[in-house]
Structure formats: C-alpha cells, structure tokens
Amino acid sequence: MAVIAVDIAGRPYEVRIGAGLLAELVPQCRGMLRKRGVPIITDANVHTAWGDVVEAALRDNGHEPHWRILQPGEQTKSWDELAATVNWLLEMEVERNDHIIALGGGVIGDLTGFCASVTKRGCKFIQVPTTLLAQVDSSVGGKTAINTPAGKNLVGAFHQPSLVLADLSALETLPDRELRAGYAEVVKYGLIDDADFFAWCDTNGAAMLAGDSHLREYAVAYSVSAKARIVAEDEFETTGKRALLNLGHTFGHALEAETGFSARLLHGEAVALGMVLAARYSAHLGLMPRASAEHVAQHIGDVGLPARLGELELDCNGSDLVRHMLHDKKMDAGTLPFLLMKGVGHTYLDKTVALDDVAAFLDEELSRG
C-alpha cells in the first residue's frame, strides 16, 4: 500500500492507495468511526458493485451502515439533493466529530464533502473514491461543490477530508468509458509541469487502462503526490499555483454546460478535450509548437478520449461556448484567466486572453469536424 501525506497546515491527512482497502474499511478508519451507526453516501451503481463488501466490512466489526443511495450522474450535484442529504444527516443526528463516508466517484465526493462542510457548521468526512478520476483528483484537496443552472461547481466550499482510501480493486468494476475519463486527470499532471510523466503516459497509458495493476498503482500514486504537493502550497487557490490543476477545465466546463451536464459528455472527457483545445489555442497564439499541440491531441485520441471538438456535433458556435465561460469561478474583475501552455509540461496562467479571439478559434475547431 502506498501512503501519501497531504500536508495541509493544521489539518494533515493521508491518502492510502492499494487493493482491498474496502474490505479493510474499519481498521483503515481506526479511531474515526466513533459510533455503531455509520452514515454512507453513495450512488446506485457503486452500491450494486461494492455495497455488500462495505456492508460486511462494517457489520463484521460491530458497526451498522446507514445508506443514502443516490442516482449516478452530475444531476445529483444539485441544490435539491444538497438539501435532502443535509436533512438526512440531521435526522441521523450526525455530530460535528462524526465521520460521513463518501463512497463513489467525483459526484458523490463533491456532494458529500459540501454536505459535511455545512452540516452543523462543519462535520468530518472520509473520501473512499471508486473511480480513477476521483482517486487521482477530486478526492484530494478539499474542493467540494454542487452545480447550478449558471454553471458547474459554482457553489461550494473548501473542506478537507480526514482520510482518503483509494482501493485500486474498485477500478476493476469501472466501465471502460469511466476509466478513460479518469485517465484525463492523470495525463493532466504531465502536461502541467512534468514532461517526463507525459512521456510515461505516452508509453504506458494504454497498458494502464487495459488493467496492468502495477502501472495503475504508479499512475494513481504519482498523480496524488503531484496534487498533494500543489495543494500544500496553495490550499485556497490564492497564489495561482493550484489554479494550474484546472488545465482544460475552462474549455471543458463550457462543453459540459452546452451538453447539459449529462452522460453525453463525462467530466473527464470534457477535461480531455479541454486540454486539447488549450494546447491548440496555445499553438494558435504562437506559444507552443503546433506539432506539440497535435502530439497532445494524438495521445488523447489514441486512448479513446475525444480529441476533436467537431466530433461532439454541438448545435452552437464559439460565442455560445464563451458565454458559458463567463460563469467560470476564475473570473476576476471581468477578466477570465486561461491556462495555456508554452510546451508540454509548461502550463501557466494567462490573464490577457481576448474572448472574441477564443470564440473565433472555437468556430474554427467546430468546423474541423
């Protein structure tokens, strides 16, 4: 088992990565499960795949699981579900020092973490991510949120978990599409600031996705270590360092909004295409060689992720997508900073981008088919 420390001042915690952690849930959470009853928030798919394992793990150690089973998908990150889940926690008489378990992917982790942040002005929670995307990204760092009609993740809080348990066995039950979507957040770490890791992805990404357990453990551990380092430097995204983790997200969130935050385009797929667009737009501006941008697109496409805007068959234009971007959380005094690239492994925050130029660029990408 790999153990990675997230060194948040005053609130450090561990991310434990290995196979079989769900079956060892109680000893892994030793000292955190104070009561017989344990509230667990999950979705129907995860409950079907892993509910029996978690149920047995708790009951065999003297605990009684209390399940809240939600519908899968981004639509669950809503005002209505936030209110209903908080009310459920209050009915369960959850106390501030109790731990809620978030068992699932990014949607469940985001919603549970936000519920924990506001219930009784802040109670505790444990992230048990079951998707690749959640294991390498959303379960670490304390960002929690829900979606609104105005955009994705616009209402939320920074609220760090007490522990993250990333069971690699859970990846074996993931649909291939979900696994590929999570891979987008793996390769992102190479594109941000480590060209050598991008090269590792180039060589090993396909085999990792195909099921090589050693490659999966390395990919998850490397990604968590990279994120932990950045989060420790900039927990609340105030210095700009943590903003680098949003590479591909400005374009990606606009695409998610245009497709209605639906299964038509998964979050990781949107991020993957968003990174391709960030690379191509950087080449458009002369910041990175066009060949490097196309290398990024080629790799994304080769692992089965969307690499061309035209393939989404959107009924919109570049200006429509830019209008979605105006709701981006990074908006500052009417200016939208963009994460652009000076090369593979050299991402930076640019506050001088003209949105009309972005719209024109997107029109060209939409016409490429």
Side-chain angles (χ1 to χ4, degrees):
M1 179 177 68
V3 179
I4 296 164
V6 183
D7 191 16
I8 301 294
R11 302 178 312 285
Y13 57 93
E14 290 182 347
V15 181
R16 301 175 192 165
I17 303 162
L21 298 183
L22 287 171
E24 301 172 2
L25 186 61
V26 173
Q28 290 294 334
C29 297
R30 193 174 308 282
M32 297 182 184
L33 305 181
R34 308 185 310 151
K35 299 177 180 176
R36 175 175 171 79
V38 178
I40 309 170
I41 300 172
T42 190
D43 70 35
N45 291 342
V46 176
H47 186 262
T48 297
W50 293 101
D52 289 347
V53 173
V54 172
E55 181 101 12
L58 288 167
R59 290 193 181 278
D60 289 350
N61 286 276
H63 291 283
E64 180 182 356
H66 296 290
W67 293 96
R68 182 163 178 80
I69 303 169
L70 306 178
Q71 289 302 305
E74 285 285 336
Q75 69 279 0
T76 291
K77 287 172 52 174
S78 67
W79 283 111
D80 288 347
E81 199 55 70
L82 173 71
T85 302
V86 168
N87 285 332
W88 178 76
L89 292 170
L90 294 174
E91 290 168 6
M92 294 279 300
E93 299 183 351
V94 167
E95 299 173 359
R96 294 181 70 180
N97 286 320
D98 292 342
H99 284 83
I100 308 160
I101 293 179
L103 175 69
V107 168
I108 292 298
D110 278 6
L111 177 70
T112 304
F114 192 23
C115 289
S117 76
V118 298
T119 299
K120 298 189 175 176
R121 294 189 178 138
C123 57
K124 298 179 179 180
F125 79 115
I126 297 166
Q127 288 271 23
V128 186
T130 58
T131 67
L132 181 59
L133 188 149
Q135 290 184 2
V136 302
D137 184 63
S138 61
S139 67
V140 181
K143 280 188 176 180
T144 72
I146 59 170
N147 302 331
T148 70
K152 186 179 175 70
N153 294 338
L154 294 182
V155 178
F158 289 93
H159 191 60
Q160 300 291 343
S162 300
L163 174 69
V164 180
L165 298 176
D167 188 341
L168 298 175
S169 302
L171 303 183
E172 296 171 10
T173 63
L174 272 187
D176 287 344
R177 186 184 178 197
E178 290 277 1
L179 196 62
R180 290 194 301 270
Y183 178 74
E185 297 282 6
V186 174
V187 74
K188 177 186 74 176
Y189 293 104
L191 295 176
I192 288 173
D193 64 2
D194 191 342
D196 288 341
F197 184 64
F198 179 75
W200 182 92
C201 290
D202 240 355
T203 301
N204 299 288
M208 188 274 285
L209 289 170
D212 186 299
S213 59
H214 296 294
L215 295 178
R216 285 186 177 181
E217 181 170 356
Y218 178 80
V220 174
Y222 177 90
S223 300
V224 169
S225 295
K227 184 162 189 180
R229 169 176 49 82
I230 292 172
V231 168
E233 292 179 30
D234 185 18
E235 180 183 0
F236 300 110
E237 208 169 286
T238 53
T239 69
K241 180 69 173 178
R242 184 166 182 171
L244 297 179
L245 294 170
N246 292 319
L247 176 64
H249 287 61
T250 298
F251 287 108
H253 285 172
L255 296 172
E256 286 185 273
E258 184 62 29
T259 53
F261 301 108
S262 68
R264 182 179 171 191
L265 185 68
L266 300 180
H267 174 65
E269 293 170 338
V271 169
L273 184 50
M275 291 189 295
V276 171
L277 293 171
R280 284 181 170 155
Y281 187 63
S282 298
H284 164 83
L285 294 175
L287 296 169
M288 72 185 294
R290 191 164 298 276
S292 295
E294 293 310 312
H295 182 185
V296 174
Q298 182 71 39
H299 178 71
I300 294 294
D302 283 349
V303 296
L305 287 163
R308 294 181 294 108
L309 187 53
E311 70 186 87
L312 297 186
E313 298 182 349
L314 300 175
D315 185 20
C316 69
N317 58 32
S319 295
D320 295 327
L321 293 175
V322 165
R323 275 192 288 274
H324 289 305
M325 294 177 187
L326 296 178
H327 297 291
D328 193 286
K329 299 183 296 299
K330 297 188 294 298
M331 285 290 290
D332 184 18
T335 298
L336 177 57
F338 272 78
L339 286 160
L340 300 177
M341 301 161 64
K342 295 180 179 178
V344 171
H346 298 283
T347 295
Y348 77 105
L349 196 64
D350 193 315
K351 299 182 179 181
T352 66
V353 172
L355 292 180
D356 57 347
D357 188 53
V358 174
F361 163 76
L362 290 171
D363 281 333
E364 291 180 11
E365 290 294 311
L366 284 163
S367 67
R368 289 178 65 168

